[in-house]
Amino acid sequence: TRINMSVSDEIREMLQKAAARDQVPEATKATRLLEIGLELEEDQIWNEIAEKRDIKKTRFVSHSQAWK
């Protein structure tokens, strides 16, 4: 799937330099950076869920019990 994006000159320059450094096309580098950003977003969401569950008097379950 193609996504048409407009980026600032500064972002374009940084993307060009990163792609050249890694010897990959700019589109490949942009895709990888987008994947990393989405993974970070996902981690933040999971962290928010975990923080809501991390309360006093929480009953902990052992790893072996949890996977039965």
Side-chain angles (χ1 to χ4, degrees), residues 24-55:
V24 296
E26 286 178 40
T28 300
K29 190 63 183 178
T31 299
R32 183 62 190 130
L33 291 171
L34 187 55
E35 288 170 353
I36 291 168
L38 290 172
E39 288 171 3
L40 290 171
E41 287 287 322
E42 181 183 38
D43 288 347
Q44 288 177 349
I45 292 168
W46 284 117
N47 187 53
E48 288 174 15
I49 292 170
E51 285 179 350
K52 288 179 185 175
R53 294 179 177 178
D54 188 19
I55 58 175

